[in-house]
């Protein structure tokens, strides 16, 4: 029962769903919008009436690892008890394909921003680009972009910037790049494949590569192809598959990808060391 209402079969199935699955986030909407649409579709299919703000308590659902609105790709979603497992997704590795544009810089470091600088780039060779990539592989320091979801005093930096408030750059922080390769070079465009750890900004990488090549660069397109064990090709559900049955099937398939069920973790509490390891 939810709030004293008898649930139909499909609603019962919806509220019994638990675990992690992945959806495809298209270019355009924010990650939060995609999640809200998913929630609305599922509740509508289950025939659950949502009046005003109550819908948030009705269905426990969350996502791990925000994608910028201009980016597309894998968004990992937790439902039911799966929402507690999302933290591990944030820490895990992610893979991206990014298209950079040489010779142009923007305030947001991507195509949505205002152009702040233009520089010649015709001197840059494919060899130059490949050499520079080595400097950005491994454990590196990175300054996060000013326009980002990072917060200052409880407000997103991007919100403060848009209001015209002065925001000082966040200090550089350690990030990890597992692999970085050049897929294509058709000046002014270049395509990179990146595998990185948590807290890494691909648009900062593209911008830093531009500076390192004595020009400037901005990110044109970004697709997340993998997050943790979830890949775009194998696991991401497109909007037409956002149904209770498809998600139930996906949850069954995806459970095998995950390191450990939270149920087993509780049994391990007598070995606090192990629990800590399985949570990272």
């Amino acid at each position: 029962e939810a709030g004293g209402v008898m649930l139909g079969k499909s609603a019962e199935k919806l509220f019994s769903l638990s675990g992690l699955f992945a959806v495809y986030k298209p270019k355009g909407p924010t990650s939060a919008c995609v999640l809200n649409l998913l929630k609305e579709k599922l509740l509508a299919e289950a025939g659950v009436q949502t009046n005003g703000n109550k819908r948030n308590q009705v269905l426990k659902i969350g996502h791990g690892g925000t994608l910028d609105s201009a980016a597309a790709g894998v968004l990992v979603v937790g439902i039911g008890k799966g929402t507690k497992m999302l933290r591990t997704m944030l820490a895990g590795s992610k893979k991206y394909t990014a298209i950079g544009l040489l010779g142009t810089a923007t305030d947001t470091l991507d195509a949505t921003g205002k152009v702040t600088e233009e520089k010649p780039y015709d001197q840059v060779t494919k060899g130059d680009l490949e050499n520079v990539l080595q400097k950005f592989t491994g454990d590196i320091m990175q300054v996060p972009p000013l326009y980002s979801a990072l917060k200052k005093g409880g407000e997103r930096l991007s919100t403060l910037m848009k209001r015209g408030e002065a925001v000082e750059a966040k200090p550089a922080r350690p990030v990890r790049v597992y692999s970085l390769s050049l897929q294509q070079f058709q000046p002014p465009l270049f395509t990179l494949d990146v595998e990185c750890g948590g807290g890494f900004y691909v648009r900062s990488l593209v911008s830093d590569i531009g500076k390192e090549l004595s020009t400037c660069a901005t990110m044109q397109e970004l697709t997340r192809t993998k997050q943790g064990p979830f890949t775009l090709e194998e696991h991401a559900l497109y909007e037409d598959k956002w149904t209770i049955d498809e998600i139930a099937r996906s949850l069954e398939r995806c459970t095998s990808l995950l390191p450990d069920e939270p149920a087993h973790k509780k049994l391990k509490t007598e070995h606090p060391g192990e629990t800590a390891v399985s949570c990272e």
Side-chain angles (χ1 to χ4, degrees), residues 118-139:
E118 291 185 282
K119 280 184 159 183
Y121 58 85
D122 26 1
Q123 72 285 2
V124 177
T125 66
K126 189 178 179 188
D128 293 337
L129 242 172
E130 285 172 331
N131 287 339
V132 156
L133 296 188
Q134 292 165 18
K135 290 191 178 174
F136 294 98
T137 307
D139 289 310

Side-chain angles (χ1 to χ4, degrees), residues 107-155:
D107 55 0
T108 57
L109 312 187
D110 67 13
T112 64
K114 289 199 284 286
V115 174
T116 52
E117 195 180 13
E118 291 185 282
K119 280 184 159 183
Y121 58 85
D122 26 1
Q123 72 285 2
V124 177
T125 66
K126 189 178 179 188
D128 293 337
L129 242 172
E130 285 172 331
N131 287 339
V132 156
L133 296 188
Q134 292 165 18
K135 290 191 178 174
F136 294 98
T137 307
D139 289 310
I140 62 168
M141 295 299 283
Q142 184 187 64
V143 177
L146 285 176
Y147 280 88
S148 72
L150 295 177
K151 295 195 164 119
K152 173 189 171 188
E155 284 199 274

Side-chain angles (χ1 to χ4, degrees), residues 1-7 15 48-49 51 54 57-59:
E1 295 192 14
V5 185
M6 286 302 290
L7 298 174
F15 290 115
V48 177
Q49 293 298 310
N51 33 4
K54 289 214 183 112
Q57 295 123 44
V58 180
L59 186 62

Side-chain angles (χ1 to χ4, degrees), residues 14-269:
L14 173 60
F15 290 115
S16 70
L17 295 178
S18 189
L20 295 179
F21 63 102
V23 297
Y24 173 76
K25 178 201 156 325
K27 209 169 151 172
T30 63
S31 296
C33 283
V34 169
L35 203 68
N36 281 333
L37 181 63
L38 172 67
K39 213 187 245 190
E40 275 161 29
K41 284 197 127 175
L42 293 175
L43 289 170
E45 186 192 341
V48 177
Q49 293 298 310
T50 58
N51 33 4
N53 274 339
K54 289 214 183 112
R55 69 165 184 209
N56 295 334
Q57 295 123 44
V58 180
L59 186 62
K60 278 189 74 175
I61 195 165
H63 68 76
T66 306
L67 270 177
D68 288 336
S69 50
V74 179
L75 189 65
V76 176
V77 176
I79 191 165
K81 294 198 177 75
T83 51
K84 295 191 169 69
M85 301 157 76
L86 288 168
R87 285 194 78 80
T88 54
M89 283 295 112
L90 296 171
S93 83
K94 304 161 184 68
K95 278 188 182 168
Y96 295 92
T97 299
I99 300 177
L101 173 73
L102 286 172
T104 304
T106 67
D107 55 0
T108 57
L109 312 187
D110 67 13
T112 64
K114 289 199 284 286
V115 174
T116 52
E117 195 180 13
E118 291 185 282
K119 280 184 159 183
Y121 58 85
D122 26 1
Q123 72 285 2
V124 177
T125 66
K126 189 178 179 188
D128 293 337
L129 242 172
E130 285 172 331
N131 287 339
V132 156
L133 296 188
Q134 292 165 18
K135 290 191 178 174
F136 294 98
T137 307
D139 289 310
I140 62 168
M141 295 299 283
Q142 184 187 64
V143 177
L146 285 176
Y147 280 88
S148 72
L150 295 177
K151 295 195 164 119
K152 173 189 171 188
E155 284 199 274
R156 286 174 175 243
L157 291 182
S158 48
T159 313
L160 296 171
M161 296 276 291
K162 282 175 189 147
R163 269 214 309 265
E165 293 195 20
V167 176
E168 69 274 15
K170 287 258 175 186
R173 51 190 195 169
V175 289
R176 179 165 288 180
V177 179
Y178 297 100
S179 66
L180 177 57
S181 59
L182 182 65
Q183 294 306 308
Q184 249 188 328
F185 183 51
Q186 292 171 302
L189 297 174
F190 60 98
T191 305
L192 303 173
D193 274 348
V194 192
E195 184 170 6
C196 54
F200 184 85
Y201 281 91
V202 183
R203 21 190 193 125
S204 292
L205 169 73
V206 169
S207 168
D208 292 344
I209 286 171
K211 288 177 191 153
E212 197 63 44
L213 291 164
S214 307
T215 174
C216 51
T218 190
M219 193 173 74
Q220 287 299 97
E221 271 183 51
L222 182 67
T223 306
R224 181 154 64 197
T225 54
K226 189 169 186 274
Q227 185 178 3
F230 299 94
T231 68
L232 185 54
E233 276 170 8
E234 284 180 89
H235 309 108
L237 298 177
Y238 285 76
E239 201 182 317
D240 60 329
K241 296 263 171 77
W242 293 358
T243 65
I244 296 168
D245 286 346
E246 286 287 355
I247 287 169
R249 259 201 292 280
S250 191
L251 286 167
E252 275 172 33
R253 275 217 319 274
C254 294
T255 308
S256 59
L257 300 171
L258 300 166
D260 211 332
E261 283 289 286
H264 305 260
K265 287 185 187 170
K266 290 200 183 74
L267 306 176
K268 283 185 181 170
T269 40

